[in-house]
Amino acid sequence: MAGLLRRGAERYALIGVWGLMIAFYWAIEPADFGTSGTFKTIFGSQAALVFLSMALLCTIIVGEFVDLSVAAILGLCATIVPVLSVLHGMNVTLASIIAVAVGTSAGAINGILVVGVGVNIIVVTLGMSTLLLGIALAVSHLHIVSGLSDSYSKIALADVFGLPITFYYGIAIALVFAYVLGFTPLGRHMRFVGSNREVSRLAGIRVNRIRFGAFVMSGFLCGVGGVVIAAGLGGFDPSSSVTYLLPTFSAVFLGTAVVQPGRFNPIGTLAGVYFLATGILGLQELGYAGWISDVFYGAALIIAVTLSTVVRRVAAA
Amino acid sequence: MTVQPGEIHGLVGQNGSGKTTLVKLLSGYHAPDSGGEVQVDGAPVGLPVRPAELHRLGMSVVHQDLGLLDDFTVVENVRIGAFRRRRLTRSIRWDGERQLAREALQHLGHEIDPNARVRDLLPADRATVAIARALQHHHPGRGVIMFDESSRALPRDSLEHFHALIREVAGRGGSVLLVSHQLEEVLSVADRVTVLRDGVVVASGTPTSELDEHELIRLMLGYELDSRAPARAAVTRDGREPAARARGVCGRLVDGVTLEIGSSEIVGVTGLMGSGFEELPYLLGGAHPAQAGELTVGGRRIDLATACPRDLVDAGVALVPERRDAQGLSLSMSLLENVTLPRVRVHGSPGRLGFGWQREEADWVIRELGVRPPAPGMTVGNLSGGNQQKVMLGKWLRGDPRLLVLHEPTRAVDVAARRDLMAVIFRVATSGSGVLVAGMDANELQSMCDRVLIMRDGRIEEELRGAAVTVEGVVNAVYRNHSNGHAAVREGVA
């Protein structure tokens, strides 16, 4: 019983901290924080981060630790949709399909270079990130392109039980991802590839195929995320994509402290996303603005990675 | 326990009895609980031991895994932590460093290119490099040198030299702590022995002259155990298809090996380091690509030059490699996950893993091989070395392989664990599989094998069968023809 309690305390400590944080904000800002609006903002506005962190998780699980290009891939895809449909008059569905294809291809190129050729992942994805940001700025002529139709925004903003449908997309992706990892041979293979490639290869796992697949899946998720974001905002500011990168890493690393301590996991990552959203919103409602997100996300990344390192050490002992 | 100046002190105990933990406490890798005390040359040492202080105290350690950096050169590995610098520029004096490294290696009777990368060395040379690193800081007449299973990777010819060397260290008044599973080695080399059981000293500094192997085993286990191989059920093989046929296998060292392994047959393959016997398992298991050769298993012909491990796994070949941490097990995953890995594709449908069979397999491995503690969810890295070995064997045995390929399956494993492992390998053989055991331990080969093949210069040069498979027979065959070829070069240096 004591052991069960201790395990539970380890697994859900982050949830406890989250609860304390909510209680704290609630206590000092009851008028602003303690409203259903706050609740909606926290759970309804994180679509980009949810898609990005799930995409990053794909490659991190198979042992590719620093895909720096996810945010830029999502940004390019979110830019392509309004550029094609608003500026070039293309059918918006076709534009969305093209955007998803572009995202998937970008992931595949990452995969070919990192897995096929064996180039260092930091170099490849850092270059890819800057390259795609540049392309996004070029196709949008350095402007925010908006004007997507209201009816199209339904795919992101449709109200379901008081929250936009993107929230449920995130839940669904995380649940499917968690199922794949925990309950299918593919997921077990992914975990082993991330843990020890040679052991996996000798057990008959097609290691490179799995690594490549993870990059493609990551690109695909970025593409879908881009389409959803563009639909929700009615357009996209291509230069804003870079600001998503840091919180994505923070959320994924925070996730290692929850549910399965010491392991990257989708449900924990989702908790990480909303944890960060709560923190930043509370600070904003306290009157801090502008610079606070840099300070908060930067600090959160350092703390999250430190925490993840410590938790992994404790979990191993 | 006390290690006297000028003595070689053996430290023995079963896997998990605390030998390695003790060495790691003494070398500062782990911090001890309070209440203990350590003295070196009469002076108390502050606890926890600070690794930086070890050189000054004259303490050095050769750890079980040797602690080498694969991507660095021999000279860098030997001299790390002790580089001498030029006064002005603070840059490393490489000429001098290379000279010092060469001297340290020559002292061990080995000529190893100081500029070679450690990754490219043979296992015996890797061990030599690690031992050279430990010995170079030794001041005659002082300090303690601890060897944690470090002689296990040495071939027999360097082993004698290694023993002579530690006797020399002891002869000049230094102390040697020798941790080993080779009871024979401990009894012949050490002056006194300390035995650990479950983390407690059960015999402290007993002179080896008062002990024999039997008595030592009794002390380690706390009960009587027959140290000979377990019984093996007799089977008739007449008229049955052989389990596997290999033809014209060529690799980096192996140069055209053709062999046949009968159903229920256990075949040993041995030789001097570099003769190719240590490469053969990896060629047959598909871990290293072969230059040529084919393997026939279960009616399937596989071209080893193009095969990937998956093809061989699917054909029923199971490779149990020597390097557990690098190739055998994923240390950060659980026992259950490691055991079931090769069969996850087969048992689960693409959409469902299924947990009943996994639990059942993990329990089977724990029960059949006697894994301690019996916890399927335990992270494998937290198990002791011998128990990890059991998990690695169990992982492959559970798949009922047609051909089981083992490389040094019972190295660094205690007596009781070795017996458990052998018993399971025997059962696999009895059920009709073919088994190939590659190893250097003549004792192990003798107690397991129906036939032993001796390799020399990449080829099978000799075969011992039936009554000819004895320890002496194997050793003599391995060391025959010393006067020519590769073997002569090594022997000449040693």
Side-chain angles (χ1 to χ4, degrees):
Chain A
M1 191 62 207
L4 205 69
L5 271 177
R6 222 198 55 188
R7 278 228 317 264
E10 274 169 18
R11 276 186 195 189
Y12 300 105
L14 186 75
I15 310 286
V17 177
W18 192 3
L20 285 178
M21 192 160 74
I22 291 170
F24 173 76
Y25 286 141
W26 204 310
I28 57 173
E29 288 281 325
D32 289 329
F33 196 82
T35 62
S36 64
T38 305
F39 179 78
K40 274 192 183 169
T41 313
I42 290 172
F43 289 101
S45 66
Q46 301 302 319
L49 214 47
V50 170
F51 276 98
L52 280 174
S53 54
M54 292 302 149
L56 183 63
L57 204 54
C58 287
T59 50
I60 275 195
I61 296 260
V62 299
E64 308 293 341
F65 276 102
V66 270
D67 185 341
L68 299 171
S69 66
V70 280
I73 297 178
L74 179 131
L76 176 63
C77 298
T79 311
I80 284 176
V81 179
V83 164
L84 288 181
S85 70
V86 178
L87 294 187
H88 299 278
M90 188 186 278
N91 175 310
V92 71
T93 312
L94 185 60
S96 304
I97 292 169
I98 290 175
V100 173
V102 167
T104 311
S105 317
I109 294 170
N110 278 340
I112 290 168
L113 292 174
V114 174
V115 180
V117 188
V119 189
N120 183 306
I121 183 172
I122 299 185
V123 177
V124 169
T125 57
L126 188 60
M128 182 63 73
S129 171
T130 312
L131 173 76
L132 297 185
L133 176 64
I135 292 177
L137 290 170
V139 297
S140 64
H141 306 295
L142 304 173
H143 286 303
I144 302 173
V145 183
S146 55
L148 285 174
S149 71
D150 273 354
S151 63
Y152 194 63
S153 75
K154 286 264 186 317
I155 64 161
L157 300 180
D159 190 298
V160 181
F161 304 121
L163 282 171
I165 194 162
T166 47
F167 171 73
Y168 303 98
Y169 291 162
I171 299 276
I173 293 172
L175 285 178
V176 170
F177 202 163
Y179 178 82
V180 169
L181 277 181
F183 298 91
T184 70
L186 174 66
R188 181 65 60 79
H189 288 174
M190 287 173 74
R191 286 252 186 239
F192 265 90
V193 169
S195 167
N196 190 325
R197 272 182 216 163
E198 183 65 3
V199 168
S200 310
R201 191 177 74 90
L202 292 181
I205 297 174
R206 294 196 174 108
V207 171
N208 283 350
R209 193 178 288 195
I210 285 185
R211 290 169 65 207
F212 178 74
F215 278 103
V216 174
M217 190 62 207
S218 165
F220 173 77
L221 282 175
C222 290
V224 175
V227 170
V228 171
I229 301 310
L233 299 174
F236 193 74
D237 174 5
S239 61
S240 70
S241 64
V242 283
T243 57
Y244 290 118
L245 190 60
L246 215 55
T248 302
F249 273 87
S250 308
V252 169
F253 277 93
L254 268 180
T256 63
V258 206
V259 187
Q260 289 176 291
R263 284 186 178 184
F264 292 99
N265 67 84
I267 306 289
T269 299
L270 202 61
V273 168
Y274 294 119
F275 179 89
L276 291 175
T278 310
I280 196 84
L281 188 75
L283 287 171
Q284 280 167 350
E285 288 189 347
L286 284 175
Y288 303 101
W291 54 271
I292 193 67
S293 60
D294 284 342
V295 170
F296 181 76
Y297 285 139
L301 178 62
I302 296 171
I303 293 168
V305 177
T306 309
L307 194 68
S308 135
T309 312
V310 174
V311 168
R312 213 174 313 180
R313 197 176 302 147
V314 173
Chain B
M1 63 180 285
T2 309
V3 182
Q4 299 289 345
E7 94 168 332
I8 300 174
H9 197 105
L11 181 64
V12 299
Q14 283 197 76
N15 290 318
S17 64
K19 306 180 297 291
T20 299
T21 309
L22 180 63
V23 169
K24 286 186 172 174
L25 286 171
L26 291 175
S27 62
Y29 184 88
H30 291 315
D33 295 338
S34 57
E37 194 188 6
V38 177
Q39 292 186 358
V40 175
D41 293 321
V45 178
L47 294 174
V49 179
R50 289 202 305 275
E53 223 177 319
L54 291 174
H55 285 181
R56 197 178 53 71
L57 293 165
M59 286 168 81
S60 45
V61 187
V62 182
H63 286 295
Q64 205 167 345
D65 53 11
L66 302 183
L68 298 176
L69 302 168
D70 277 350
D71 284 323
F72 287 80
T73 61
V74 170
V75 56
E76 287 166 323
N77 267 287
V78 171
R79 297 290 301 160
I80 186 167
F83 287 128
R84 296 192 186 175
R85 285 168 290 217
R86 289 200 180 84
R87 264 248 188 88
L88 199 61
T89 59
R90 311 300 289 167
S91 62
I92 298 172
R93 283 191 259 175
W94 283 113
D95 292 347
E97 291 300 313
R98 265 188 283 276
Q99 189 52 37
L100 286 168
R102 200 173 285 128
E103 279 167 18
L105 291 165
Q106 271 165 359
H107 196 56
L108 287 170
H110 268 268
E111 202 70 58
I112 301 173
D113 176 11
N115 296 321
R117 281 206 314 170
V118 165
R119 182 184 295 289
D120 302 328
L121 295 180
L122 297 168
D125 291 341
R126 295 167 60 91
T128 309
V129 170
I131 293 169
R133 177 170 63 193
L135 284 178
Q136 64 176 337
H137 298 299
H138 180 65
H139 315 290
R142 289 183 52 216
V144 192
I145 299 182
M146 294 173 270
F147 295 97
D148 186 1
E149 285 291 338
S150 18
S151 60
R152 70 187 176 121
L154 288 175
R156 202 169 271 258
D157 50 353
S158 343
L159 205 57
E160 272 167 35
H161 188 82
F162 168 69
H163 290 155
L165 206 79
I166 59 177
R167 280 200 195 94
E168 188 191 316
V169 170
R172 291 197 206 145
S175 311
V176 174
L177 186 66
L178 187 69
V179 181
S180 179
H181 281 301
Q182 299 282 333
L183 301 184
E184 206 186 329
E185 178 185 31
V186 172
L187 286 173
S188 69
V189 178
D191 303 308
R192 296 192 304 149
V193 179
T194 290
V195 183
L196 292 180
R197 192 196 309 152
D198 299 329
V200 178
V201 174
V202 290
S204 177
T206 311
T208 47
S209 52
E210 295 170 15
L211 287 168
D212 59 17
E213 213 171 307
H214 193 70
E215 176 66 10
L216 206 51
I217 291 169
R218 199 189 57 75
L219 283 169
M220 283 165 57
L221 298 180
Y223 57 87
E224 296 280 338
L225 181 99
D226 189 349
S227 73
R228 286 169 308 165
R232 185 171 161 201
V235 283
T236 48
R237 284 197 288 278
D238 301 332
R240 282 213 259 160
E241 269 289 290
R245 264 196 216 102
R247 205 186 319 237
V249 182
C250 293
R252 208 162 55 89
L253 297 166
V254 174
D255 178 24
V257 162
T258 295
L259 57 86
E260 192 173 293
I261 298 164
S263 167
S264 296
E265 188 180 33
I266 302 180
V267 178
V269 51
T270 186
L272 293 170
M273 294 302 294
S275 65
F277 84 92
E278 71 273 48
E279 189 191 19
L280 191 60
Y282 301 96
L283 298 175
L284 297 180
H288 302 171
Q291 282 162 16
E294 64 173 39
L295 181 70
T296 312
V297 181
R300 277 206 239 182
R301 276 234 312 253
I302 299 158
D303 181 359
L304 291 175
T306 56
C308 64
R310 189 192 187 95
D311 302 332
L312 289 150
V313 170
D314 288 346
V317 180
L319 168 68
V320 178
E322 184 199 10
R323 295 186 67 187
R324 209 161 46 208
D325 51 343
Q327 302 184 304
L329 294 172
S330 186
L331 298 184
S332 63
M333 306 292 280
S334 74
L335 185 159
L336 177 141
E337 288 165 329
N338 268 290
V339 164
T340 55
L341 180 67
R343 286 166 300 284
V344 156
R345 294 186 282 130
V346 188
H347 274 272
S349 66
R352 241 185 84 76
L353 210 47
F355 281 95
W357 70 271
Q358 294 193 59
R359 180 69 203 210
E360 189 270 319
E361 285 197 351
D363 287 342
W364 182 88
V365 168
I366 289 170
R367 193 176 59 241
E368 294 296 309
L369 289 102
V371 180
R372 289 285 168 277
M378 185 140 169
T379 306
V380 166
N382 293 337
L383 295 171
S384 74
N387 281 305
Q388 288 182 15
Q389 189 75 15
K390 290 177 177 178
V391 173
M392 177 165 70
L393 256 175
K395 159 181 165 182
W396 289 109
L397 292 183
R398 187 57 223 252
D400 294 326
R402 290 201 177 86
L403 173 63
L404 178 64
V405 183
L406 307 156
H407 187 203
E408 300 285 5
T410 67
R411 175 176 277 182
V413 162
D414 67 52
V415 189
R418 172 171 302 188
R419 239 182 97 87
D420 293 343
L421 291 172
M422 278 191 195
V424 180
I425 294 169
F426 286 172
R427 244 176 297 150
V428 170
T430 308
S431 72
S433 310
V435 180
L436 183 79
V437 187
M440 284 195 300
D441 185 345
N443 225 327
E444 173 183 292
L445 294 170
Q446 178 257 326
S447 47
M448 288 178 71
C449 299
D450 303 308
R451 264 194 303 151
V452 176
L453 308 172
I454 316 292
M455 287 188 68
R456 217 168 281 138
D457 300 330
R459 295 165 184 279
I460 295 173
E461 292 281 317
E462 212 172 325
E463 177 178 328
L464 304 173
R465 278 179 177 277
V469 182
T470 59
V471 175
E472 292 75 24
V474 171
V475 171
N476 286 338
V478 167
Y479 290 88
R480 200 164 298 155
N481 293 339
H482 260 186
S483 49
N484 56 42
H486 187 67
V489 178
R490 274 180 178 279
E491 185 70 1
V493 172

